């Protein structure tokens, strides 16, 4: 797996929506109830029960999205004996709205930081090309497509679906369509982390290929805990929505300067 760190594709204007999305995601993560202890590995039972109750209310659940089937008993956030107390929900949950709230929830620091890194690197250029309002709508549309796409193939699942990765996958798909030749600096783990500058179509094509393979359950042990199918659907939705903008998109600037101590060849 390669880790992107920077793209050679400057934006013309400040990506205020991208920055705002990152800020809101970080803010929500820091104030999710019971999460600090869970991340640190020393959460109490009360913290765990509080977190489960929070996710039950605000996470997207495939069975609720497709069948509108809601549990009669949910975690209340309280503890009884050696487990979490269950009771009738004291709230009315909207499955459609839960997709939006779930897009700002993350299960750990690695989950959050990985998503925000990809959004920071690739989101600014898509926002620059689409404009602030259209980018915000595009981001939400990809997130909804990813969540409902995942729910359609897991319609009976009651596991909560959280994270911004479906929407961010849409950003990656749009970037592949609009800026396939842009150069991206990546770190490749090979004994040590080797810095390489690769075309975006290589980096993003490789990422999408991995998600497609993992979504089938091949080559990964945690396929049941990561919504790889949502990544695939979000990526394809982003490509489709960005395609009409391809013709009028100016190419990224050609990178100049030294590459590993040697002057880069034209076109590299």
């Amino acid at each position: 797996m390669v880790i992107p760190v920077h793209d050679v594709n400057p934006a013309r204007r400040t990506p205020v929506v991208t920055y705002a999305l990152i800020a809101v995601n970080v803010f929500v993560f820091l104030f999710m109830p019971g999460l600090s202890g869970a991340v640190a590995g020393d959460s109490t039972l009360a913290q765990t029960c509080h977190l489960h109750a929070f996710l039950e209310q605000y996470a997207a659940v495939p069975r609720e999205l497709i069948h509108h089937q809601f549990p009669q008993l949910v975690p209340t956030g309280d503890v009884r004996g050696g487990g979490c107390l269950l009771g009738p929900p004291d709230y009315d949950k909207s499955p459609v709205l839960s997709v939006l709230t779930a897009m700002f929830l993350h299960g750990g620091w690695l989950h959050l930081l990985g998503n925000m890194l990809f959004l920071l690197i690739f989101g600014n250029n898509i926002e620059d090309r689409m404009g602030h309002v259209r980018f915000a709508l595009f981001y939400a549309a990809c997130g909804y497509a990813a969540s409902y796409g995942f729910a359609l193939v897991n319609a009976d699942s009651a596991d909560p679906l959280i994270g911004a990765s479906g929407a961010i996958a849409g950003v990656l798909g749009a970037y592949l369509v609009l800026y396939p030749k842009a150069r991206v600096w990546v770190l490749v783990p090979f004994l040590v982390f080797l810095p390489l500058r690769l075309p975006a179509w290589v980096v993003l094509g490789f990422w999408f290929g991995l998600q497609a393979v993992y979504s089938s359950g091949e080559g990964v042990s945690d396929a049941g805990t990561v919504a790889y199918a949502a990544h695939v659907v979000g990526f394809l939705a982003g490509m489709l929505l960005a395609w009409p903008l391809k013709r009028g998109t100016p190419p990224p600037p050609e990178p100049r300067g030294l590459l590993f101590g040697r002057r880069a060849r034209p076109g590299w």
Side-chain angles (χ1 to χ4, degrees):
M1 183 63 179
V2 297
I3 304 173
V5 293
H6 178 63
D7 66 333
V8 187
N9 192 8
R12 300 167 298 172
R13 47 189 165 183
T14 303
V16 293
V17 174
T18 298
Y19 291 160
L21 287 170
I22 293 173
V24 173
N25 274 281
V26 173
F27 178 84
V28 171
F29 177 80
L30 292 176
F31 288 93
M32 282 180 63
L35 188 60
S36 58
V39 173
D42 59 354
S43 61
T44 64
L45 179 59
Q47 290 176 320
T48 300
C49 293
H50 200 183
L51 177 59
H52 287 173
F54 180 83
L55 293 178
E56 187 68 43
Q57 182 174 357
Y58 293 105
V61 177
R63 186 167 59 187
E64 296 172 358
L65 297 180
I66 302 303
H67 301 303
H68 286 252
Q69 295 178 352
F70 300 92
Q72 295 183 353
L73 297 176
V74 298
T76 64
D78 298 323
V79 177
R80 169 171 291 181
C84 299
L85 177 65
L86 300 180
D90 58 356
Y91 53 83
D92 292 325
K93 183 176 182 180
S94 167
V96 174
L97 186 58
S98 72
V99 175
L100 181 62
T101 56
M103 288 165 56
F104 294 95
L105 306 179
H106 292 83
W109 279 109
L110 288 179
H111 188 200
L112 173 72
L113 295 179
N115 279 343
M116 296 305 102
L117 175 64
F118 276 81
L119 179 57
L120 179 64
I121 293 173
F122 299 106
N124 62 333
N125 293 108
I126 305 307
E127 181 177 351
D128 187 42
R129 179 64 183 88
M130 293 184 174
H132 305 310
V133 175
R134 283 201 297 176
F135 176 72
L137 295 175
F138 165 83
Y139 182 90
C142 291
Y144 270 86
S147 295
Y148 273 96
F150 177 82
L152 282 173
V153 297
N154 298 274
D156 295 323
S157 173
D159 294 330
L161 179 65
I162 61 174
S165 53
I168 296 171
V171 173
L172 304 186
Y175 199 100
L176 178 62
V177 168
L178 299 178
Y179 304 105
K181 296 182 180 180
R183 265 37 181 191
V184 181
W185 282 102
V186 299
L187 297 178
V188 180
F190 184 75
L191 300 180
V192 296
F193 284 100
L194 299 177
L196 294 176
R197 187 168 65 188
L198 301 174
W201 68 266
V202 173
V203 177
L204 300 179
F206 178 71
W207 181 89
F208 177 75
L210 284 180
Q211 307 309 303
V213 171
Y214 291 165
S215 68
S216 68
E218 297 294 332
V220 62
S221 60
D222 62 347
T225 61
V226 179
Y228 292 111
H231 302 172
V232 172
V233 175
F235 192 94
L236 294 176
M239 292 184 67
L240 180 64
L241 292 174
W243 197 268
L245 300 177
K246 181 177 176 61
R247 183 179 297 275
T249 302
E254 288 292 334
R256 302 298 181 193
L258 298 179
L259 180 62
F260 300 121
R262 298 179 298 172
R263 187 162 299 280
R265 298 192 302 271
W268 175 258

